[in-house]
Amino acid sequence: MVTDSKQDLPQYSKDSDSDSDSSSSSNLSSLFTSSSKSATVVLNSEEYDDDDDDDVTGLDNELADNISYVGDEDETVLVGLKERQKLHLSGAFRLQIVKGGIVYNNVHYNASREILHFWHPLSQSIPTIDFSHFAGWQDTVFLPRNNRFNIKNDELKSFPCVLRVFNSNQTGLSEAGRLYRDVNYLWKPKEPYFPLNERATYHLLHESDEVQSLSIPRYWLTPLEKLYLNHKNATYDTRIMVLGGKNSGKSTFLRLLLEKFTQDIRASTTSQDELVYLDLDPGQPEYSLPDSISLNKLIPKPITLGQHLCQGSNFQTLLQFYIGSSSPQDEPASYLNSVDKLIDYLEEQTFFGTSLLNLPGWIKGFGMQILNHIIKKYKPTHLVFLETANSKRHLDELTIPQSFSTSLRDAYLPEVVRIPAHNLNHASPARFHASQLRTFKVLALFHKQTQFDYDFAPLLKSAPLQISYGGDKCGIQGIRFPMEFQNLNPQDIRSSLEGAVVGIHTYLEEDSLVIKKLDTFPILRSSTPSRKSFITLGLIHSIDTLQQIMNIYVPPFHKENLDEQPEDAKWIIVRNKTETPFCDLLPSHRAITWDPSTQIPFATFERRKKLEHVWKVRKNVMRRGQFMKR
C-alpha cells in the first residue's frame, strides 16, 4: 500500500526565498548597462577566417547593433545576421527563424513559423548557429500573428537573416546549482556579458568565454550523408550500430545522424519516417533513466537539437531496464539479458523505420565478447567504427557474420564503415566529469515536478511515501542486492538501504520468487522476475522495522505511474550501485533549516571530542612487514 502520510516523520521548516526578478527594458542601450545578479545574455560573432582579427572585431561590433531585446515574459531577443556571422548560445532555449535561414551542424533550416528547441549545456562543445539564406524562390518574413514586437518589415529588410530567440518551456532546470554546486555553471557561463534578466534560460556567448565550438571533422561529413540517404531511400528497416572506445564521439555522431534524419519531417510522419533509439550505455545514456538502458521512439515534432542530458520530451520510452551501475562489467550476464529483451521487443514490432544503437566504450577483454553478442543479436545493416590508433586493434577482433536474416529481409550483408574517431569535447575548459553529470541526472529526476517544471528544494523539505514491506498481500515483496552482497549480515541490511537509490519494479502474480527472510527483510535470492516492470527510481529516506514500513522518495513526475498500479500491487526494489546525491540528504544551511532537537537521518552536527576520530577501513593493503619471512 502506498500513502502520502506525514505521520512519524521528521518535520522541516522551509526558508523564505528572497529572490526577485530584475526589471526589464526594451531599450537596447539598457541591455548593455544592466547589472542584474545572474543576468545571462551575452553576444558573440565569429568569422570563418580566424586569421583576420580586424574583420572579426568589425563583425562583432556590427552584430551588437543587430540585437533588439523585447523584454517580454519569455525574455525574447531578436537578432539580425549578415553573411559570415554566427551565434554561440548556451542553455535551453527556443528559436524561430523569422527571415532567411540558418545552418546548424551542417543541416539547413529555412524560415518558418516552426519553433526549434535547443539544448546547449556547457559540458559539451557548443554548436554554432550560422547565417544562411532562405532556400526558395521567395524570401518570406514569418512574424507572430499578433505582431507584439511592433517591428515593421522595412526594419528587417537590411538583414538577410532574422532570428527570434526566447526562453525554453522548461522552468527551474538551471537552478540545480543551488543544491549541487558542481553544476552551477552547467547551463550558463561563469562571467556572462551584458546581463539581462534572471528569468532568461539561454545565454549568448562571446568568444572570450573560452567555450569550445563544436567542429565537425570533414571526414565525418560523407559517412553522415551516405547514412542519411540510406535512411531516406531504404525499402526495409535500417539498423545502424556505432562502435568505438571511450571519448571517441559515438554519442555525438549518433546525435548528428538524428538531426539529419529529422530535417525533412514536419507536420506528419509515416512508418518509413519512424526513428527508434536503442540506448544501451547505462553510464552516459541519451534517453534512459540513470544507470538504465532502454528502447525509445523518437518524436521528431517539435524538432529538438543539441544535448538535452535526458531532460528532453521528444521521445517515448517503449521498454526500459534498470542496470543499477554505470558500466555493464559489474553484472555482464544481467546486462546482456536485458539487452536481449530490448532487441526481442524491437523484433516483435515488425519495425520498418530506422533504428540506432548506442553502446558504452568498453571494447577490451570481456567488453569485446559483449559487442560480439550484441552484433549477432541486433543484426545491423550498418556498422560504424570510430577508430583510434589504440582502439583499431581491438575493433579488428570483432566477429562479424557474413550475412544476417530477419523477419523483413533474407541474407543481407552488413556494411562496415570505418571513420577516424574525434573527441569533440577534449579542448573544452568547462568540461564536467562524467560522475558530476550522472549526479545531475539523478537530481533532475527526483526534482522534476511536471514535464516542464523543476523544483530543486531539498527532498528533506517534503514527506516521502510510506510503503509497507515483508507482508504477504501487498507492498514490497522482495529486496534484491548484487551478487557480491548476497550474504549480507542481517544487522547491516537496514543501514545498507537507508539513504540509497533503488530501482522500483512491479511483478505479476504468477511469477515465482525465491525469498529468504533476514530479520524483517524479504531478501530475493533468485534474479528479478522475467516479466518484471521497471517503474522508476526511488530514494529510501528511512526504515521503520517495527511497523515494517519504508519511507521512500519517488520522482514527482513518475508518481502517477505508481498510482496507476492496482492497490494490491506487489513490488520489488533493487539495491545496486547507483550513487546517492548526498546534497539532497545533507543540504547546506542556506537551503534548509530544522529544529536542533529533531533527529536528522544520516547526519550529525555535534563536534567530535579532542581525540575522537572517524575510522576508515582500508582494504587489500598488505605492508612489507605483513609478509612471512622464510
Side-chain angles (χ1 to χ4, degrees):
M1 182 174 62
V2 181
T3 66
D4 280 308
S5 174
K6 298 184 180 180
Q7 298 178 357
D8 303 325
L9 294 176
Q11 300 297 316
Y12 307 98
S13 60
K14 192 172 185 179
D15 289 344
S16 60
D17 297 330
S18 59
D19 296 338
S20 59
D21 294 327
S22 58
S23 59
S24 302
S25 173
S26 59
N27 192 327
L28 183 62
S29 61
S30 66
L31 173 63
F32 296 93
T33 59
S34 171
S35 59
S36 173
K37 288 188 295 183
S38 62
T40 49
V41 176
V42 187
L43 183 53
N44 177 49
S45 170
E46 296 180 0
E47 196 210 349
Y48 286 96
D49 187 0
D50 296 332
D51 297 331
D52 197 343
D53 295 336
D54 294 337
D55 288 345
V56 172
T57 303
L59 287 172
D60 196 41
N61 294 333
E62 184 180 5
L63 185 57
D65 297 330
N66 299 353
I67 291 185
S68 176
Y69 171 46
V70 176
D72 60 0
E73 60 181 8
D74 287 330
E75 297 302 313
T76 302
V77 170
L78 292 170
V79 183
L81 296 180
K82 296 183 179 180
E83 288 194 41
R84 301 188 300 173
Q85 290 183 332
K86 59 179 68 175
L87 293 174
H88 274 112
L89 296 98
S90 71
F93 59 95
R94 289 174 286 178
L95 183 145
Q96 179 197 0
I97 308 170
V98 176
K99 181 182 179 182
I102 63 170
V103 173
Y104 182 87
N105 286 338
N106 290 315
V107 178
H108 183 274
Y109 298 88
N110 262 339
S112 68
R113 290 188 175 87
E114 184 175 37
I115 304 300
L116 307 179
H117 295 244
F118 289 81
W119 299 79
H120 285 174
L122 291 174
S123 59
Q124 306 284 325
S125 298
I126 300 294
T128 59
I129 298 174
D130 296 20
F131 160 87
S132 184
H133 291 281
F134 187 86
W137 295 102
Q138 185 177 1
D139 196 353
T140 307
V141 177
F142 294 91
L143 281 175
R145 293 181 180 179
N146 56 9
N147 198 23
R148 58 180 174 176
F149 304 124
N150 194 24
I151 296 177
K152 299 179 181 179
N153 290 345
D154 293 341
E155 298 176 359
L156 301 176
K157 288 183 179 179
S158 60
F159 300 111
C161 175
V162 177
L163 308 178
R164 181 167 72 99
V165 184
F166 53 105
N167 275 351
S168 167
N169 51 7
Q170 306 280 347
T171 60
L173 182 61
S174 60
E175 302 302 320
R178 294 186 177 182
L179 188 59
Y180 182 44
R181 304 177 78 180
D182 289 0
V183 297
N184 194 38
Y185 301 108
L186 180 60
W187 301 98
K188 60 184 177 182
K190 290 185 178 180
E191 298 180 357
Y193 290 78
F194 311 138
L196 188 63
N197 196 298
E198 291 181 347
R199 296 192 305 266
T201 64
Y202 62 93
H203 321 280
L204 282 83
L205 306 174
H206 192 272
E207 57 187 351
S208 61
D209 287 328
E210 298 181 351
V211 176
Q212 180 71 15
S213 299
L214 178 62
S215 178
I216 304 175
R218 293 184 178 273
Y219 46 81
W220 278 21
L221 299 181
T222 299
L224 286 170
E225 191 64 31
K226 288 183 177 179
L227 290 170
Y228 163 66
L229 292 176
N230 188 282
H231 151 78
K232 190 174 182 179
N233 301 322
T235 304
Y236 301 102
D237 62 326
T238 301
R239 307 181 181 201
I240 301 175
M241 186 172 176
V242 180
L243 305 177
K246 294 182 178 180
N247 300 321
S248 59
K250 299 185 303 299
S251 299
T252 302
F253 188 89
L254 287 169
R255 201 175 305 126
L256 296 174
L257 272 179
L258 287 176
E259 290 175 359
K260 290 188 71 68
F261 291 171
T262 58
Q263 65 177 320
D264 313 293
I265 303 174
R266 290 296 184 263
S268 62
T269 61
T270 62
S271 59
Q272 284 73 24
D273 295 322
E274 289 181 346
L275 297 172
V276 166
Y277 197 101
L278 271 163
D279 196 7
L280 304 185
D281 186 353
Q284 295 179 332
E286 292 286 310
Y287 300 98
S288 309
L289 294 183
D291 292 352
S292 303
I293 60 176
S294 60
L295 174 66
N296 307 275
K297 180 179 179 181
L298 278 297
I299 302 173
K301 185 72 175 182
I303 292 181
T304 302
L305 305 172
Q307 166 61 286
H308 53 73
L309 295 179
C310 300
Q311 307 308 309
S313 58
N314 64 320
F315 64 97
Q316 175 189 359
T317 300
L318 304 178
L319 187 60
Q320 186 164 215
F321 291 97
Y322 176 62
I323 302 301
S325 172
S326 60
S327 173
Q329 62 183 336
D330 291 323
E331 293 190 11
S334 176
Y335 172 80
L336 286 179
N337 185 34
S338 299
V339 169
D340 289 348
K341 293 175 184 177
L342 290 175
I343 298 177
D344 288 340
Y345 185 85
L346 177 62
E347 293 284 357
E348 294 171 2
Q349 307 306 308
T350 316
F351 179 68
F352 276 88
T354 296
S355 60
L356 299 98
L357 188 148
N358 184 33
L359 282 167
W362 187 24
I363 60 174
K364 299 180 181 179
F366 192 74
M368 187 59 59
Q369 299 183 38
I370 289 180
L371 295 182
N372 285 329
H373 177 91
I374 296 177
I375 290 174
K376 184 178 180 180
K377 183 72 176 180
Y378 179 58
K379 303 175 182 179
T381 59
H382 296 79
L383 271 168
V384 180
F385 292 171
L386 298 180
E387 298 179 332
T388 63
N390 293 328
S391 66
K392 186 178 185 301
R393 61 187 180 92
H394 296 290
L395 294 175
D396 288 340
E397 299 176 4
L398 287 173
T399 303
I400 304 175
Q402 294 295 323
S403 64
F404 294 119
S405 296
T406 66
S407 59
L408 297 179
R409 62 172 77 184
D410 295 327
Y412 62 90
L413 300 177
E415 181 178 343
V416 178
V417 182
R418 295 181 178 269
I419 310 171
H422 186 68
N423 185 359
L424 300 168
N425 300 309
H426 69 283
S428 176
R431 182 179 179 183
F432 291 75
H433 294 294
S435 60
Q436 294 172 321
L437 296 179
R438 285 196 294 268
T439 301
F440 164 77
K441 292 176 182 178
V442 175
L443 277 178
L445 172 66
F446 281 98
H447 292 270
K448 189 173 185 178
Q449 306 297 314
T450 66
Q451 185 175 0
F452 304 108
D453 298 321
Y454 295 80
D455 181 7
F456 284 96
L459 289 180
L460 291 182
K461 287 187 175 181
S462 60
L465 298 179
Q466 293 188 327
I467 306 178
S468 61
Y469 72 89
D472 297 330
K473 296 182 179 180
C474 61
I476 298 173
Q477 299 294 298
I479 303 171
R480 179 176 181 260
F481 286 93
M483 293 297 297
E484 56 185 309
F485 298 109
Q486 286 293 315
N487 297 321
L488 194 65
N489 191 312
Q491 297 178 354
D492 297 328
I493 294 178
R494 176 178 174 179
S495 60
S496 66
L497 290 174
E498 288 185 325
V501 175
V502 296
I504 302 177
H505 304 75
T506 60
Y507 76 98
L508 300 180
E509 188 69 30
E510 58 267 25
D511 288 322
S512 59
L513 302 178
V514 179
I515 299 293
K516 181 179 181 180
K517 276 292 188 71
L518 295 179
D519 199 1
T520 61
F521 298 98
I523 304 302
L524 188 63
R525 287 303 186 184
S526 65
S527 60
T528 48
S530 59
R531 299 182 186 179
K532 70 181 184 301
S533 174
F534 173 51
I535 304 297
T536 186
L537 297 182
L539 197 161
I540 299 180
H541 171 281
S542 54
I543 300 176
D544 186 341
T545 54
L546 295 179
Q547 301 185 43
Q548 294 188 214
I549 290 177
M550 290 189 183
N551 302 308
I552 302 180
Y553 290 111
V554 297
F557 183 57
H558 291 167
K559 187 176 180 298
E560 61 182 16
N561 296 337
L562 276 71
D563 295 338
E564 292 174 357
Q565 304 298 324
E567 293 184 359
D568 58 347
K570 296 186 177 181
W571 306 86
I572 291 174
I573 61 173
V574 178
R575 164 69 160 96
N576 212 319
K577 297 182 179 181
T578 301
E579 297 180 3
T580 300
F582 288 105
C583 54
D584 250 332
L585 300 179
L586 186 58
S588 65
H589 289 282
R590 296 174 301 175
I592 192 171
T593 58
W594 46 73
D595 185 347
S597 63
T598 303
Q599 293 293 326
I600 309 298
F602 327 117
T604 178
F605 296 94
E606 298 179 359
R607 298 189 63 178
R608 293 193 299 268
K609 297 179 181 179
K610 184 177 180 180
L611 299 178
E612 186 178 10
H613 300 281
V614 176
W615 289 89
K616 297 181 180 180
V617 179
R618 300 183 66 183
K619 298 180 179 180
N620 300 328
V621 176
M622 294 291 290
R623 302 187 184 279
R624 183 172 54 184
Q626 291 176 274
F627 290 94
M628 297 182 63
K629 298 181 180 180
R630 295 183 180 179

